[in-house]
Amino acid sequence: MVTNLATRTKAQAAKTLLNLVPHISVDNLVRATRFAEKLTRVERDREVIRGLRGYFERRHPAFMMAKDIMDRLSPNCRRKLIENLFVNAFLIGTDKREIEMPRKEGFKPPMLLVISPTMACNLACPGCYAGEYEQHRGISTDLVDRVITEAKEMGTYFITMSGGEVFTRADMFDIWRKHDDVYFQLYTNGTMINSEVARKLEECGNVAPMISLEGHKKRTDERRGPGTFDTVMKAMENLREAGVMFGASFTETRENMEEIASDDILDLLVEKGAFVAWYFQYIPIGREPSVDLMPTPEQRDWLRRRLLDLREEKSIFLGDFWNDGYYVEGCIAGGREYIHINANGDVEPCVFCHFAVDNIRDKSLKEVLNSDFMKAIRRAQPYRENYLTPCMLIDEPDVLRDAVMKCHAYPTHEGAETLVTDLKDDIDAYARSYRAIADDVWETEYKDKNSRRVKSERHV
């Protein structure tokens, strides 16, 4: 009874927030954050909301981004963003995942799932992390439907889809329409987003494409094929015209680091209408893996500092999956906050960790989340006190090797094992070099701040 009442109360939050949308202002955004803070029972989420309120109060570029979102999204996309992502995933879903499910089932489900329904792709980019998966395999529509249904039952309403190229699967539009209470984020090369596809995405309202770029035209076309950059720019224009939420995705390499974090590229994205830019460090997996493409430890730290500055200047959300480990307290893989289900149904700890012990075709989502493999990874988290070194692939690689060996995890495609075999010495050398930099940064810039945060949370 209490749970049902809380759910109805939080559902009402969507209507309240929607009533504020036509009158976007600093005062209304601050009011919305106070309302959201009262609704969540998870202190960590309250802290995030208070931080967001601080951005609005000091007229940070985040305010301009929020205003652009409300002004430029279509009414349907705006409504789905608020109801599905902020209310279902972050308010109602968080209470269910972090309070109700641990009491009922003894574990906390992840905030999101990453599903790759296909590995088929219309491009063949060198170094693609997914390039060595079998291209003809794919998860059936019914299986994708089943997994998302099970996820919602556990309070997970945020689903990311990757690949392969998601738009080679036209049936995914049926999935997005059916699960209209979920918010979907897609990683795509963008080449199939014509005006008709953009229109269909607006009709769904709950789908946000993140389009891959390597940098400007020359670098993008060199890796992705002649004409790709111009096609992607047109795709962004189609999405903006349709009022669809979208963003960009960059893979950081030793060769493109400064270009993808330049003022020019981010100003171009803002001009095209992108609201988000995700940064992923190149990991030597997939097609033709090479440690020589990995950003140097010095470059990785440069990007951390560079994005901190850019966040104070640009009206676009910038997320760095490695350097932002501080904000999420280390690694989020292994079911702590997400897992990856690949196109063969193998359940991997993360998109870049190509090992598994279970297949979703044979087991429920609840069962695969509680495998010995996933639990071994979660028990080891955080792998180090320094959250700037969060990754079991390249920062603390013994964690992955031990879990793979003890739980008899299998490589999910030919050659995946090279990360823990052939490349072992190179990865260890990288980890030592980066930790030497990151540990000094942690001691001087983060440790005291993190200690104060932990004490505050314990006091509450």
Side-chain angles (χ1 to χ4, degrees):
M1 181 69 177
V2 173
T3 299
N4 291 336
L5 178 60
T7 299
R8 289 197 299 270
T9 300
K10 291 187 175 184
Q12 185 63 32
K15 296 180 181 179
T16 302
L17 292 172
L18 283 170
N19 287 336
L20 295 174
V21 165
H23 313 287
I24 193 71
S25 67
V26 172
D27 288 343
N28 278 341
L29 286 171
V30 169
R31 191 176 299 122
T33 62
R34 293 192 188 282
F35 185 60
E37 185 180 351
K38 291 178 180 178
L39 287 172
T40 184
R41 291 181 284 172
V42 179
E43 175 56 29
R44 186 178 69 247
D45 294 328
R46 291 194 188 105
E47 183 183 358
V48 171
I49 292 168
R50 288 193 289 268
L52 183 61
R53 182 162 61 248
Y55 282 129
F56 294 149
E57 289 175 334
R58 63 186 176 93
R59 280 25 176 210
H60 186 273
F63 166 69
M64 291 306 300
M65 185 179 69
K67 187 177 187 306
D68 285 345
I69 288 173
M70 298 310 173
D71 288 345
R72 292 192 348 233
L73 292 188
S74 75
N76 187 41
C77 291
R78 190 171 59 209
R79 179 173 61 87
K80 291 294 186 181
L81 176 70
I82 294 173
E83 290 183 351
N84 295 12
L85 186 62
F86 292 107
V87 177
N88 291 349
F90 294 158
L91 291 179
I92 296 173
T94 296
D95 280 356
K96 187 165 188 177
R97 294 189 311 272
E98 301 204 6
I99 297 175
E100 296 173 25
M101 285 295 292
R103 289 173 181 168
K104 180 180 177 182
E105 301 289 345
F107 81 103
K108 182 181 80 68
M111 179 188 72
L112 68 98
L113 296 180
V114 181
I115 303 173
S116 294
T118 181
M119 288 302 169
C121 187
N122 58 327
L123 301 181
C125 307
C128 175
Y129 84 94
E132 290 303 309
Y133 287 108
E134 293 186 42
Q135 302 294 299
H136 70 280
R137 298 245 179 151
I139 309 176
S140 69
T141 313
D142 288 344
L143 183 54
V144 174
D145 177 40
R146 192 205 90 195
V147 170
I148 295 174
T149 298
E150 292 180 7
K152 291 194 296 185
E153 290 171 353
M154 294 189 293
T156 302
Y157 287 87
F158 187 24
I159 305 292
T160 292
M161 287 192 172
S162 189
E165 174 50 54
V166 179
F167 285 108
T168 63
R169 288 282 299 267
D171 58 323
M172 289 300 102
F173 277 96
D174 296 328
I175 291 290
W176 303 331
R177 293 187 192 103
K178 178 175 181 179
H179 294 282
D180 64 352
D181 53 349
V182 169
Y183 203 77
F184 294 92
Q185 177 181 248
L186 315 180
Y187 286 98
T188 171
N189 61 43
T191 60
M192 300 179 71
I193 304 177
N194 56 28
S195 57
E196 176 63 16
V197 169
R199 183 190 63 79
K200 291 170 67 176
L201 290 171
E202 190 285 324
E203 289 176 352
C204 292
N206 60 337
V207 183
M210 302 292 140
I211 301 176
S212 297
L213 286 171
E214 307 305 321
H216 286 294
K217 179 180 175 68
K218 183 177 184 295
R219 197 177 296 276
T220 296
D221 286 359
E222 281 177 351
R223 182 168 186 244
R224 296 181 173 268
T228 300
F229 183 83
D230 290 340
T231 300
V232 165
M233 292 299 104
K234 181 59 178 175
M236 290 185 178
E237 292 168 9
N238 292 335
L239 292 167
R240 176 168 182 160
E241 184 175 342
V244 175
M245 166 70 75
F246 74 93
S249 171
F250 296 110
T251 298
E252 314 150 20
T253 71
R254 194 167 301 187
E255 299 170 352
N256 73 349
M257 181 70 82
E258 293 188 9
E259 186 170 334
I260 62 175
S262 66
D263 287 305
D264 287 348
I265 196 71
L266 291 175
D267 289 345
L268 175 64
L269 290 178
V270 171
E271 176 189 331
K272 290 295 180 181
F275 294 108
V276 182
W278 294 112
Y279 289 81
F280 297 90
Q281 176 160 329
Y282 171 79
I283 303 295
I285 54 174
R287 185 179 290 129
E288 303 171 4
S290 171
V291 293
D292 292 334
L293 278 176
M294 295 177 69
T296 66
E298 292 78 12
Q299 285 179 314
R300 180 172 167 185
D301 187 61
W302 174 86
L303 184 67
R304 176 191 65 82
R305 290 180 281 110
R306 173 66 175 160
L307 292 186
L308 288 175
D309 291 338
L310 288 170
R311 285 166 178 159
E312 295 296 317
E313 303 168 7
K314 308 296 183 184
S315 58
I316 184 172
F317 176 85
L318 304 174
D320 183 341
F321 268 75
W322 272 258
N323 287 329
D324 286 347
Y326 170 75
Y327 301 104
V328 293
E329 300 179 352
C331 176
I332 64 172
R336 180 188 160 214
E337 291 296 355
Y338 96 106
I339 56 170
H340 177 225
I341 300 172
N342 71 25
N344 188 41
D346 296 312
V347 184
E348 300 169 336
C350 88
V351 172
F352 303 98
C353 182
H354 298 177
F355 294 91
V357 297
D358 288 320
N359 193 289
I360 199 66
R361 302 176 195 272
D362 308 318
K363 295 186 177 181
S364 69
L365 184 58
K366 189 186 302 183
E367 288 175 308
V368 301
L369 283 167
N370 285 293
S371 71
D372 289 343
F373 186 41
M374 299 299 178
K375 287 195 289 189
I377 291 170
R378 293 199 294 269
R379 279 196 301 269
Q381 293 167 337
Y383 313 128
R384 306 185 75 232
E385 178 192 26
N386 183 350
Y387 296 152
L388 299 177
T389 56
C391 183
M392 65 178 174
L393 304 181
I394 60 172
D395 295 329
E396 197 65 24
D398 282 342
V399 173
L400 174 62
R401 294 166 193 156
D402 289 346
V404 167
M405 180 183 66
K406 292 176 181 177
C407 300
H408 307 289
Y410 56 85
T412 54
H413 61 73
E414 185 177 354
E417 70 281 357
T418 60
L419 188 68
V420 299
T421 55
D422 297 5
L423 300 179
K424 178 180 183 296
D425 291 343
D426 290 324
I427 295 297
D428 285 344
Y430 172 88
R432 288 192 297 271
S433 296
Y434 179 65
R435 288 199 299 258
I437 294 172
D439 286 352
D440 181 62
V441 172
W442 180 259
E443 288 291 330
T444 57
E445 299 180 31
Y446 288 85
K447 187 175 181 179
D448 287 345
K449 183 165 58 175
N450 187 66
S451 177
R452 288 194 298 271
R453 181 176 68 171
V454 170
K455 288 178 181 177
S456 175
E457 289 175 353
R458 287 174 178 168
H459 176 72
V460 172

